[in-house]
Amino acid sequence: MEPIIRLSGITRDYPSGDGVLHVLRGVDLTIAQGEFVAIIGASGSGKSTLMNILGCLDTPSGGSYRLDGKEVAKMEAASRAALRREFLGFIFQHYHLLPEMTALGNVEVPAIYRGMSPHARHEKAAALLGRLGMGDRLNHRPGQLSGGQQQRVSIARALVNDARIILADEPTGALDSRSGDEVLAILEELHRRDGRTVIIVTHDAKVAARANRIIEIAEGQVIADSGLVQGRAALVAQPPAASPGIGQLAEAARMAVLAMCAHKLRSFLTMLGIIIGIASVVSVVALGEGSRQQVLQNISGLGTNTLQIFPGENFGDMRSGRVTTLVSEDGVQLARQPFVASVSPTVSTSPTLRYGATEASAQISGVSEQYFDVAGITLTAGRAFDANAVQQMSQDVVIDENTRAALFADEDPLGKTFMAGQVPLRVIGIAKARQNGPGGSTSLTIYAPYTTVQARYLGTTIVSGLTLRVSDDTDMALAQQSVTSFLTQRHGGKDFFIVNNDEIRQTITSTTQTMTLLIAAIAVISLLVGGIGVMNIMLVSVTERITEIGVRMAVGARRSDIRAQFLIEAVLVCIIGGIAGVLFALGSGQVFERFGGDFTLVYSPLSIVAAMASSCGIGLAFGYLPAASASRLDPVAALARG
Ligand code: ADP
Ligand code: MG
């Protein structure tokens, strides 16, 4: 019968200083299926080194290792992980259980990597622990178990995938003699009843005496061997190999949550960078969108197809007061142009109003009958004046809500006459107060025919501006050009300027977009900083959990499993941070809206989705390096460093 283990000429060298340390110097050894072998030797003789090679945790520097007929000495990492998972069970001197998990959870770990279904591995782990006398300790954590109990958990872990070979490196080294005896009895039974191959390393002759065969090692060579005992055919039933699937991802996520819960404060601090980054991105975008919508709402009172014409070169031109060429006749002439839908001149004056004993100061806007349409002013009561009234300089006016409140209190103002300066005016309509800027305007406004204002107050036909609505099918830029050349011709020069509402809207939109982009860029930088924080902590966490990584690899985790676990942890931290950030942004928005008053936040679902996606991306990007470095660890080195 082909022996299950055949080593020939196995060497293992370590670089040491400027030379090489030959730890194993040509080990030849055959072990048959079902043997119970003890390897003894002085400390430093190379027992553990040999054991790690037997357990496919380490690769020999030279020689051949045939395991169950397959050459494994030069196998790559993934195939060796598969052998560890399905063929070999490791028991360590210091148990190496994962401290955050229960006994049951620890036993299940190799089965997870094998892809066993949760139910099956639960049952199996519980049965194994029961068989080893741990049935009433399933949900204890390693810290709550004695050394002997922990070692039994670790034996159960070695058995959960039905390993045919059990490798135990000083399994009783840390135990008192009674617990040690119990552990040895279990190992003996595994050999006798199950027909498993059991190989233990010990420096204790009494322990070695329990085995069927003793191999002694000194200075990296076999110096004595009590001889091959005829092996037996395996009695162990091999379960069908399950394939890894989506369940493993869920397991990795569960472990990531466990790891996060074990370091709550640290996880929170790591998240904080992401929380702040995401919250600021979402808030800034909401603020930008809010102010954009508010500004647009303010100017949309004047439709986007209106042009406003003012004297002078621009707003704030000191000489505009001396320009006398912009008169109401310009408006009348412009109204005849085919592309003009309506025109209203605007003039204004600010007399004191008097009604009974009440006085108030107000602004009278002298406008044409078309102004209400052009400027989008809605009446809440009564009616506006018509073209006839404008022609006849009628003293019928429309007052706004502010004026009504200031002058008439609870009285119905329609039909009432009040004094504005020296001129009596009669109320025929009430208009909504103009929303000028946030909070609305509190100034009093009265709309009167411009002819009345010119004749009764100003004594001139000069206007302070013309508001013009372009007919629907005309291009705004073209209309602006035509108006410019028309008026330039009439005035004999360009002494006016035109404000194009559409242009203003576009400018505002693009300015707020630029601002939003700029601030968002700063927020993204803070997200990057948060991401670097995540990477930093993950690197620390990898270093800190190096033993855990070693243990997981020893029980058969693939490199990809380790990488997935750390990557998922990083992504999870970022996603939870992202959700918290979004909630924080929404919450603080609520608070601001309730108490801050003057600005609006408009949260776009797109920005929230983008924020979540980017936090996910940050987790992947910044978690990759730590995860990759964890997955590249050498299992032997990782276990030794722990
Ligand atoms: P033991 O028989 O006590 O288990 P080991 O196999 O652990 O002995 O170690 C055998 C020798 O190999 C020791 O001298 C040890 O210092 C050396 N050795 C083990 N691992 C390494 C390593 N990773 N790098 C360098 N030397 C090592
Ligand atoms: Mg050792």
Side-chain angles (χ1 to χ4, degrees):
M1 187 172 71
E2 167 79 10
I4 194 157
I5 286 170
R6 183 191 291 279
L7 300 180
S8 36
I10 287 290
T11 59
R12 182 68 171 98
D13 306 327
Y14 286 111
S16 130
D18 28 61
V20 200
L21 185 64
H22 301 285
V23 175
L24 296 182
R25 307 155 180 255
V27 174
D28 299 309
L29 190 62
T30 28
I31 294 172
Q33 166 70 52
E35 277 197 275
F36 183 11
V37 181
I39 297 175
I40 59 168
S43 177
S45 54
K47 304 183 297 292
S48 294
T49 307
L50 178 61
M51 212 51 170
N52 291 337
I53 288 173
L54 285 174
C56 293
L57 282 169
D58 195 11
T59 41
S61 309
S64 149
Y65 174 15
R66 293 179 74 81
L67 180 62
D68 201 28
K70 280 187 300 250
E71 179 60 51
V72 300
K74 295 277 172 265
M75 260 189 186
E76 52 182 277
S79 320
R80 281 189 287 129
L83 283 174
R84 293 200 293 271
R85 203 159 51 233
E86 282 158 28
F87 219 78
L88 302 159
F90 240 99
I91 297 161
F92 304 94
Q93 178 176 357
H94 296 290
Y95 335 123
H96 283 327
L97 300 176
L98 303 182
E100 287 118 45
M101 291 188 171
T102 61
L104 198 65
N106 267 288
V107 175
E108 284 183 46
V109 171
I112 292 173
Y113 291 128
R114 185 167 189 163
M116 211 184 276
S117 77
H119 180 71
R121 63 173 193 249
H122 240 72
E123 296 274 287
K124 187 147 189 196
L128 276 169
L129 283 169
R131 179 179 157 191
L132 299 187
M134 294 286 294
D136 53 348
R137 296 279 193 284
L138 297 185
N139 292 315
H140 285 54
R141 280 168 213 284
Q144 301 163 322
L145 296 173
S146 73
Q149 290 170 329
Q150 289 189 59
Q151 195 61 299
R152 282 191 246 177
V153 174
S154 110
I155 294 174
R157 179 175 66 185
L159 294 174
V160 76
N161 279 348
D162 290 307
R164 285 167 65 186
I165 303 173
I166 302 293
L167 300 158
D169 191 349
E170 310 260 12
T172 59
L175 299 177
D176 59 73
S177 64
R178 217 184 110 226
S179 308
D181 276 350
E182 282 166 11
V183 165
L184 279 175
I186 293 169
L187 292 176
E188 207 167 7
E189 188 188 284
L190 292 179
H191 144 74
R192 218 183 36 244
R193 230 181 72 184
D194 296 8
R196 291 179 216 263
T197 310
V198 177
I199 304 171
I200 66 172
V201 159
T202 179
H203 58 265
D204 183 340
K206 279 216 297 281
V207 171
R210 304 277 290 262
N212 302 134
R213 176 182 171 193
I214 298 174
I215 296 166
E216 188 174 355
I217 295 202
E219 314 229 321
Q221 278 176 316
V222 177
I223 56 162
D225 186 346
S226 71
L228 187 68
V229 179
Q230 187 49 54
R232 309 178 311 167
L235 305 176
V236 182
Q238 290 286 309
S243 59
I246 195 81
Q248 249 155 319
L249 220 61
E251 281 307 319
R254 207 171 60 87
M255 296 195 216
V257 172
L258 271 178
M260 274 164 57
C261 291
H263 301 280
K264 288 194 190 70
L265 180 65
R266 191 164 83 186
S267 302
F268 172 71
L269 290 178
T270 312
M271 270 175 214
L272 205 55
I274 302 293
I275 295 176
I276 293 171
I278 292 287
S280 51
V281 170
V282 172
S283 305
V284 160
V285 173
L287 200 62
E289 181 60 20
S291 59
R292 193 181 72 92
Q293 288 195 6
Q294 203 166 40
V295 171
L296 288 184
Q297 201 183 354
N298 285 341
I299 66 164
S300 75
L302 290 175
T304 54
N305 57 345
T306 59
L307 296 176
Q308 286 174 284
I309 305 156
F310 298 105
E313 276 181 358
N314 211 329
F315 288 117
D317 180 358
M318 303 296 258
R319 286 161 305 173
S320 65
R322 277 178 271 145
V323 176
T324 55
T325 44
L326 194 64
V327 294
S328 24
E329 185 59 18
D330 286 334
V332 175
Q333 292 303 325
L334 273 173
R336 300 211 174 113
Q337 300 298 308
F339 59 89
V340 176
S342 59
V343 181
S344 172
T346 45
V347 292
S348 65
T349 181
S350 309
T352 302
L353 310 183
R354 236 181 6 259
Y355 179 72
T358 319
E359 282 195 15
S361 57
Q363 174 165 36
I364 300 185
S365 284
V367 296
S368 81
E369 77 285 353
Q370 295 173 341
Y371 183 80
F372 298 95
D373 173 35
V374 174
I377 291 168
T378 35
L379 297 193
T380 54
R383 57 180 178 85
F385 43 84
D386 56 14
N388 235 353
V390 173
Q391 225 174 12
Q392 292 167 6
M393 303 182 202
S394 138
Q395 278 154 251
D396 291 349
V397 299
V398 172
I399 63 173
D400 72 349
E401 296 277 6
N402 293 339
T403 314
R404 187 194 61 74
L407 279 194
F408 298 98
D410 300 330
E411 237 178 298
D412 179 9
L414 288 180
K416 300 271 158 44
T417 302
F418 62 95
M419 295 299 290
Q422 306 302 319
V423 185
L425 298 175
R426 190 164 70 102
V427 182
I428 59 165
I430 301 170
K432 261 197 190 146
R434 278 286 276 282
Q435 292 286 316
N436 265 328
S441 167
T442 51
S443 61
L444 315 186
T445 306
I446 293 164
Y447 303 97
Y450 71 93
T451 47
T452 313
V453 176
Q454 284 175 337
R456 299 287 187 147
Y457 294 95
L458 306 173
T460 161
T461 59
I462 298 171
V463 297
S464 55
L466 293 170
T467 303
L468 181 149
R469 189 158 63 82
V470 175
S471 60
D472 284 342
D473 48 354
T474 309
D475 180 61
M476 286 299 286
L478 216 64
Q480 188 172 351
Q481 260 175 29
S482 311
V483 171
T484 308
S485 60
F486 180 84
L487 285 181
T488 309
Q489 227 168 25
R490 272 180 67 86
H491 296 182
K494 188 174 177 301
D495 52 5
F496 57 90
F497 65 94
I498 297 179
V499 175
N500 180 336
N501 256 332
D502 194 40
E503 242 171 48
I504 295 181
R505 189 182 58 81
Q506 280 172 12
T507 313
I508 289 168
T509 306
S510 77
T511 327
T512 49
Q513 262 169 4
T514 316
M515 278 304 289
T516 305
L517 267 180
L518 197 75
I519 307 175
I522 295 171
V524 165
I525 290 173
S526 81
L527 263 185
L528 282 185
V529 174
I532 293 170
V534 170
M535 177 155 71
N536 196 3
I537 293 297
M538 289 306 296
L539 281 171
V540 170
S541 160
V542 168
T543 318
E544 207 176 56
R545 283 153 64 189
I546 220 154
T547 321
E548 176 193 329
I549 297 167
V551 171
R552 287 180 181 281
M553 285 182 158
V555 301
R558 303 161 191 81
R559 293 191 163 174
S560 58
D561 292 325
I562 301 292
R563 196 168 50 221
Q565 186 191 335
F566 281 88
L567 209 50
I568 284 175
E569 197 173 320
V571 170
L572 216 59
V573 164
C574 290
I575 287 182
I576 295 175
I579 291 173
V582 168
L583 291 180
F584 182 67
L586 294 178
S588 55
Q590 285 279 319
V591 171
F592 272 126
E593 250 163 47
R594 189 157 306 167
F595 301 109
D598 254 13
F599 49 91
T600 339
L601 293 156
V602 178
Y603 295 97
S604 74
L606 186 71
S607 78
I608 291 173
V609 170
M612 289 314 300
S614 59
S615 60
C616 203
I618 285 168
L620 282 175
F622 289 95
Y624 188 80
L625 182 71
S629 81
S631 75
R632 274 197 301 268
L633 283 172
D634 175 51
V636 176
L639 281 170
R641 261 195 276 169

